[in-house]
Amino acid sequence: VLRDITIEYEGSKAQIDYVIITKGFTYLVECKNLIGNIYVDNQGQFQREYVINGRKIVEAIYSPYTQAVRHKEILKKRWLSKNYWKWNI
């Protein structure tokens, strides 16, 4: 298990909360610590709703799913660039 990993590739950067490596799989885990209720609409947009000092606050939040997919793509591109010679024999 690796924690708080930053990977850069061709100007793109990914900060991954946890990388879990097993013999068969590699898991990327994105953690969120949010208050309130989380809603996802038909287009996959995330929104949270909470109350502070009697005031209802509704705000859009970045999709953890989209973030994880982006992390995977950056990691994959970086891995393939470092291991290109192994696959091109």
Side-chain angles (χ1 to χ4, degrees), residues 35 49-59:
I35 61 169
E49 183 180 292
Y50 57 98
V51 177
I52 291 185
N53 296 328
R55 235 179 89 207
K56 181 178 173 181
I57 298 173
V58 178
E59 62 186 9

Side-chain angles (χ1 to χ4, degrees), residues 20-52:
I20 302 168
I21 302 168
T22 70
K23 288 182 181 182
F25 297 96
T26 299
Y27 300 93
L28 306 179
V29 179
E30 182 63 31
C31 295
K32 299 290 181 202
N33 185 15
L34 301 171
I35 61 169
N37 297 315
I38 308 298
Y39 301 99
V40 183
D41 66 18
N42 293 341
Q43 286 80 40
Q45 302 295 318
F46 281 67
Q47 190 176 64
R48 76 174 171 163
E49 183 180 292
Y50 57 98
V51 177
I52 291 185

Side-chain angles (χ1 to χ4, degrees), residues 13 17 28 48 59 67 71 75 78 89:
K13 191 181 218 181
D17 294 333
L28 306 179
R48 76 174 171 163
E59 62 186 9
Q67 191 174 7
H71 291 169
L75 181 61
R78 174 77 187 256
I89 296 176

Side-chain angles (χ1 to χ4, degrees), residues 2-30:
L2 306 171
R3 186 178 76 77
D4 195 21
I5 302 299
T6 300
I7 295 177
E8 294 183 47
Y9 183 71
E10 293 184 345
S12 295
K13 191 181 218 181
Q15 184 280 323
I16 305 169
D17 294 333
Y18 293 94
V19 179
I20 302 168
I21 302 168
T22 70
K23 288 182 181 182
F25 297 96
T26 299
Y27 300 93
L28 306 179
V29 179
E30 182 63 31

